[in-house]
Structures are given as C-alpha cells and as structure tokens.
Amino acid sequence: QVQLVESGGGSVLAGGSLRLSCAASGDTDSRYCLGWFRQAPGKGRDWVATFDRSGITRYADSVKGRFTISKDNAKNTLYLQMNSLQPEDTAMYYCAARLWVCGDPFGYWGQGTQVTVSS
C-alpha cells in the first residue's frame, strides 16, 4: 500500500501561483498511476491531472496550459504547479494513486490541502 500526504495549499490572489506537493511513503515503486483531484464547496470531486507509469501526463481542459504535474522519483513526491490561478480554482486538492493504469477508481487518497483564490 501507499500513503499520500499533500502540502503546499494556501490563499492567493487571482493570477498568482502555488505548488502543491504529495509525499508518498510505503509502497512507492513505479506501479502506480498518480493524480490530482479537487473538490469545490458543494460540488463533486473532479479530476485535475494524472502522471502515468510511462511518464505521460494528462490534464483536465479547465487547467490545461496553467497547471503542470510532475514527479520526483528520488523524493517519492508528486507535484502540481498551478499558475494563473482563478477564483474557480478554489477547492480542496487531493493526491491519489491507482495501481497499474490510470482510471476510475483511484484506491489511495491523501487527506487534501486547501487552495483558496480570491479576486
């Protein structure tokens, strides 16, 4: 099993940037697809980006061109660089992992880190 702990959230003005981190521990070999999801108040959890076992990255249309997902294997850490943040990006952001291939459902989740963007 893998354990995930997010950090890096905070409050920022529109147009600003944040970098989220997700530290993995436990079973941290390369068998996992890793992803970021977010949940805004009163809404469902939405997929943001994934980093698959081959290093291929995918993004939701709403963040494409603004967010970048990356991974540091030496540090067992997944990142989400978020630029040009907008108020609609306000949400709890979750890191998640799924064995082998990306897709629903993700079986392992962090506790989340809050991102608040004000205009």
Side-chain angles (χ1 to χ4, degrees), residues 66-85:
R66 300 188 298 124
F67 291 11
T68 302
I69 188 171
S70 62
K71 182 183 173 188
D72 186 329
N73 289 325
K75 296 182 178 180
N76 292 324
T77 301
L78 182 74
Y79 300 100
L80 185 68
Q81 177 67 44
M82 305 185 296
N83 299 328
S84 302
L85 283 162

Side-chain angles (χ1 to χ4, degrees), residues 3-6 22 45 93-97 108-113:
Q3 293 79 45
L4 305 169
V5 178
E6 302 96 333
C22 172
R45 188 175 293 180
Y93 283 71
Y94 297 91
C95 173
Y108 303 95
W109 294 86
Q111 83 290 347
T113 186

Side-chain angles (χ1 to χ4, degrees), residues 7-30:
S7 61
S11 297
V12 64
L13 293 175
S17 300
L18 283 173
R19 188 177 78 158
L20 305 183
S21 299
C22 172
S25 60
D27 186 10
T28 59
D29 63 26
S30 60

